[in-house]
């Protein structure tokens, strides 16, 4: 069975974006060929991404080419949207059941891109199998939390840690079964 993996950056105080959803605070810690935080290896281990509608719209509003064009994208949204592109699918109802069925399909693992509400929903329904959290050495003070309103306790096993020369710390956890 495929795994759902959360691979995400967060501030020391646990925020994944500033209060306005901005990510400018990450610009001092870019992914480069010399320092990619394991991103290339991770990116090649998945063939699909899952994200919330707000995250999807934020990506579309950036001045960049859609970064997941070679992956299948599943967008969880309250807004009905038409599938305009072959590799983009919108999930508007029966989210947990639909994602559970996607996990059972053949293929590589799935990357849960964000945002916080989707992460909490997946945690509460035991859908996340692994988490790689890259902790950026900054305190935002407020913003969009990594785990907002998580209703269910879960325990995790530390698999790996890696510290980088720029004071970034990456931790990898697997769900304790």
């Amino acid at each position: 069975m495929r795994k759902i993996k959360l691979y995400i950056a967060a501030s020391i105080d646990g925020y994944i974006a500033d209060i306005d959803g901005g990510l400018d605070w990450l610009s001092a810690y870019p992914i480069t060929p010399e320092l990619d935080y394991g991103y290339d290896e991770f990116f090649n281990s998945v063939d699909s991404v899952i994200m919330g509608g707000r995250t999807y719209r934020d990506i579309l509003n950036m001045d960049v080419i859609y970064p997941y064009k070679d992956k299948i994208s599943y967008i969880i949204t309250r807004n009905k949207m038409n599938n305009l592109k072959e590799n983009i699918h919108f999930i508007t109802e029966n989210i947990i059941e639909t994602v559970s069925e996607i996990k059972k399909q053949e293929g590589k693992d799935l990357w849960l891109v964000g945002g916080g509400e989707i992460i909490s929903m997946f945690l509460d329904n035991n859908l996340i199998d692994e988490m790689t959290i890259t902790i950026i050495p900054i305190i935002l003070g407020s913003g969009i939390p990594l785990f907002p309103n998580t209703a269910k306790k879960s325990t995790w096993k530390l698999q790996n840690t890696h510290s980088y020369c720029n004071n970034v710390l990456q931790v990898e956890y697997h769900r304790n079964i």
Side-chain angles (χ1 to χ4, degrees), residues 141-155:
S142 65
I144 297 172
L146 175 57
F147 304 120
N149 305 317
T150 302
K152 186 175 178 182
K153 178 181 174 181
S154 60
T155 57

Side-chain angles (χ1 to χ4, degrees), residues 75-135:
I75 315 303
I76 298 171
T77 181
R78 293 178 190 93
N79 307 314
K80 294 265 186 195
M81 301 174 131
N82 292 327
N83 289 358
L84 301 175
K85 298 194 175 167
E86 183 177 319
N87 282 346
I88 298 178
H89 306 278
F90 296 96
I91 302 171
T92 57
E93 51 193 44
N94 301 320
I95 294 166
I96 302 307
E97 296 83 4
T98 302
V99 172
S100 295
E101 287 303 314
I102 292 168
K103 276 186 77 170
K104 293 176 186 174
Q105 296 172 358
E106 290 293 319
K108 292 183 177 181
D109 292 330
L110 302 121
W111 176 10
L112 177 56
V113 175
E117 291 177 31
I118 302 299
I119 293 168
S120 290
M121 178 194 313
F122 278 34
L123 280 171
D124 288 344
N125 288 280
N126 299 319
L127 286 173
I128 299 176
D129 301 292
E130 298 178 8
M131 293 191 286
T132 301
I133 304 169
T134 304
I135 302 167

Side-chain angles (χ1 to χ4, degrees), residues 6-12 14-16 37 119 123 130-136 146-147 156 158 160-162 164 168-173:
L6 174 65
Y7 180 98
I8 198 163
S11 64
I12 291 173
Y15 295 104
I16 58 175
Y37 309 105
I119 293 168
L123 280 171
E130 298 178 8
M131 293 191 286
T132 301
I133 304 169
T134 304
I135 302 167
I136 306 300
L146 175 57
F147 304 120
W156 296 80
L158 181 66
N160 198 6
T161 63
H162 191 87
Y164 294 91
V168 168
L169 174 65
Q170 191 171 69
V171 292
E172 180 184 335
Y173 292 100

